[in-house]
Amino acid sequence: MRKNFGAKPWTYPQPVFIIATYGEDGTPDAMNAAWGGISDDTQLSICLGANHKTTANILARKAFTVSMATADQLVPCDYVGIASANTVPDKLAKTGWHTTRSAFVDAPLIDELPMAVECRLVSYDPESCHLVGEIVNVSADESVLDESGKIDPDKLQPILFDPIHNAYRKLGEKAGNAFRDGAALR
């Protein structure tokens, strides 16, 4: 028997995205967002409220980066989700993070977060808070690559958001082979 919970924003897993932008004065900013994902081969969609400083920065600069939050950076990743750049103008200073300007978009990469998706703004609807970015590059530090040069999730250690328990969880071990294991039912 199933238990019904009603309409809730609950899906598993929810990636923990750290969205980084530059403010009008060039100050790097970052926020934590979990409501988002791939919406087309070259697009990422995120639900971002119009009241966020990050949203204003994206609208002004037409660019942003999305880093995958990692287990070793959990505390600063959570901090940028609870502190607002509207009231803490240089909140990145408290995280101890360093940034490097993206070569592809007008936005910072966070050096301590080894994987990022670099995006150009496609659209933003303030009514629905739906932001769409065009993915122009994905970058990863060599420290999270496997022997064949691909991103290794075991080395990356991305965290996931558990919306039911307000918790972060680590990505688990490999469970199977996508686009292959189902062939057993043919």
Side-chain angles (χ1 to χ4, degrees), residues 19-24 29 31 46 48-65 106-107 119-133:
I19 303 163
T21 61
Y22 286 122
E24 62 277 352
D29 177 42
M31 72 171 285
I46 306 169
L48 281 185
N51 61 332
H52 292 293
K53 178 73 170 149
T54 301
T55 304
N57 293 346
I58 292 170
L59 294 174
R61 299 266 184 160
K62 310 291 188 231
F64 58 100
T65 62
D106 185 18
C119 298
R120 244 185 247 117
L121 177 65
V122 170
S123 64
Y124 179 68
D125 178 5
E127 293 284 321
S128 66
C129 301
H130 185 224
L131 180 132
V132 178

Side-chain angles (χ1 to χ4, degrees), residues 8-186:
K8 303 281 185 193
W10 295 350
T11 60
Y12 282 103
Q14 286 188 352
V16 179
F17 291 151
I18 305 301
I19 303 163
T21 61
Y22 286 122
E24 62 277 352
D25 63 354
T27 301
D29 177 42
M31 72 171 285
N32 177 321
W35 292 359
I38 300 300
S39 55
D40 193 2
D41 283 355
T42 59
Q43 290 187 343
L44 187 106
S45 294
I46 306 169
C47 181
L48 281 185
N51 61 332
H52 292 293
K53 178 73 170 149
T54 301
T55 304
N57 293 346
I58 292 170
L59 294 174
R61 299 266 184 160
K62 310 291 188 231
F64 58 100
T65 62
V66 179
S67 294
M68 304 304 114
T70 59
D72 68 326
Q73 293 293 314
L74 188 146
V75 171
C77 286
D78 189 55
Y79 173 74
V80 297
I82 58 177
S84 170
N86 289 322
T87 55
V88 183
D90 190 13
K91 68 181 182 178
L92 239 56
K94 282 198 171 197
T95 65
W97 286 343
H98 304 90
T99 61
T100 302
R101 182 174 292 279
S102 165
F104 296 89
V105 297
D106 185 18
L109 293 164
I110 299 169
D111 298 342
E112 288 76 11
L113 298 176
M115 180 188 170
V117 179
E118 300 163 61
C119 298
R120 244 185 247 117
L121 177 65
V122 170
S123 64
Y124 179 68
D125 178 5
E127 293 284 321
S128 66
C129 301
H130 185 224
L131 180 132
V132 178
E134 174 193 8
I135 300 168
V136 297
N137 187 51
V138 174
S139 61
D141 188 86
E142 290 181 3
S143 67
V144 297
L145 303 182
D146 64 16
E147 308 76 42
S148 62
K150 295 181 180 175
I151 298 167
D152 182 341
D154 292 331
K155 291 181 179 182
L156 180 63
Q157 287 289 299
I159 56 175
L160 308 169
F161 176 58
D162 173 353
I164 297 168
H165 301 100
N166 284 334
Y168 296 113
R169 302 204 175 265
K170 288 184 183 180
L171 184 66
E173 65 187 52
K174 180 180 174 181
N177 299 295
F179 310 109
R180 199 167 85 208
D181 289 352
L185 300 179
R186 285 190 175 159

